[in-house]
Amino acid sequence: DVVMTQSPLSLPVTLGQPASISCRSSQSLVYSDGNTYLNWFHQRPGQSPRRLIYKVSNRDSGVPDRFSGSGSGTDFTLKISRVEAEDVGVYYCMQGTSITFGQGTRLEIK
Amino acid sequence: QVQLVQSGGGVVQPGGSLRLSCAASGFTFSNYGMHWVRQAPGKGLEWLTFIRSDGSNKYYADSVKGRFTISRDNSKDTLYLQMNSLRAEDTAVYYCVKGRSDFDSWGQGTLVTVSS
């Protein structure tokens, strides 16, 4: 199984400051079709997860451009350029070939 | 817009059964594979099972293999999860999710509580 490891697991951030979450996979996520199926999700308390980023760096419709995804192979990062209050919640990375999720990173306002 | 509306959760005794449904709209359901994912209270996301668009292939996590069955009725645009031999550790919110690798749309979630 492909293991997805996120860090940090807890992320206190001051409003307006940047934030970064790392996601590492136990093996390369480059699929046989050449794509890398690495998604990022945000889950607010009591809500369903919402996809933010797909295939490493593609932002979903309606996702603010302060969110960006990057990485390749086994190392991936989600960055928020300036954290806003609505960004609190848990962030998950997920590899989309054999489907496994990271443990989640809880972002809170300091 | 895409909607996945879930139903069928509730409280069930250990060893019991339950069937979850997920009614899809806003997209051509028969063109997409579908997943079930669950989240135990206070925990992370756990993938459970996937079914191809035509229902020809199904895949399961080891934790539910032999107990849970995924199915779909493309004439009704509906996904199902039949859960048998339920255990306390199956207590969770269950989500249906659209797409093979997309996961771009999630149902609202339905709570299943296994307790005597």
Side-chain angles (χ1 to χ4, degrees), chain A residues 13-83:
Chain A
V13 183
T14 301
L15 285 173
Q17 293 300 301
S20 180
I21 301 171
S22 170
C23 176
R24 291 198 166 125
S25 58
S26 59
Q27 61 192 65
S28 173
L29 298 187
V30 180
Y31 192 53
S32 54
D33 63 3
N35 288 309
T36 301
Y37 295 99
L38 186 285
N39 297 338
W40 288 97
F41 300 88
H42 176 217
Q43 185 178 33
R44 296 189 177 103
Q47 295 188 13
S48 303
R50 172 200 181 194
R51 196 180 71 177
L52 300 175
I53 302 285
Y54 62 96
K55 287 194 278 187
V56 181
S57 59
N58 297 276
R59 240 185 342 265
D60 271 281
S61 173
V63 174
D65 60 8
R66 64 178 182 275
F67 288 91
S68 64
S70 63
S72 63
T74 61
D75 281 330
F76 305 92
T77 303
L78 176 70
K79 291 183 178 175
I80 309 173
S81 59
R82 295 172 307 278
V83 169

Side-chain angles (χ1 to χ4, degrees), chain B residues 9-89:
Chain B
V11 180
V12 61
Q13 291 188 338
S17 298
L18 211 55
R19 189 175 85 155
L20 306 183
S21 299
C22 171
S25 61
F27 66 103
T28 304
F29 180 70
S30 59
N31 286 352
Y32 289 89
M34 297 289 294
H35 301 264
W36 287 98
V37 172
R38 71 183 178 187
Q39 187 170 37
K43 302 297 184 183
L45 301 168
E46 179 189 12
W47 173 80
L48 298 180
T49 179
F50 170 75
I51 185 169
R52 290 196 186 278
S53 57
D54 61 0
S56 58
N57 292 90
K58 306 171 186 180
Y59 306 86
Y60 297 92
D62 287 344
S63 58
V64 302
K65 199 175 295 182
R67 299 188 301 124
F68 289 12
T69 302
I70 191 171
S71 63
R72 64 192 296 158
D73 186 337
N74 285 347
S75 69
K76 295 182 179 178
D77 291 345
T78 302
L79 177 73
Y80 302 100
L81 183 66
Q82 177 67 43
M83 302 184 294
N84 298 331
S85 303
L86 283 160
R87 306 165 180 167
E89 55 265 36

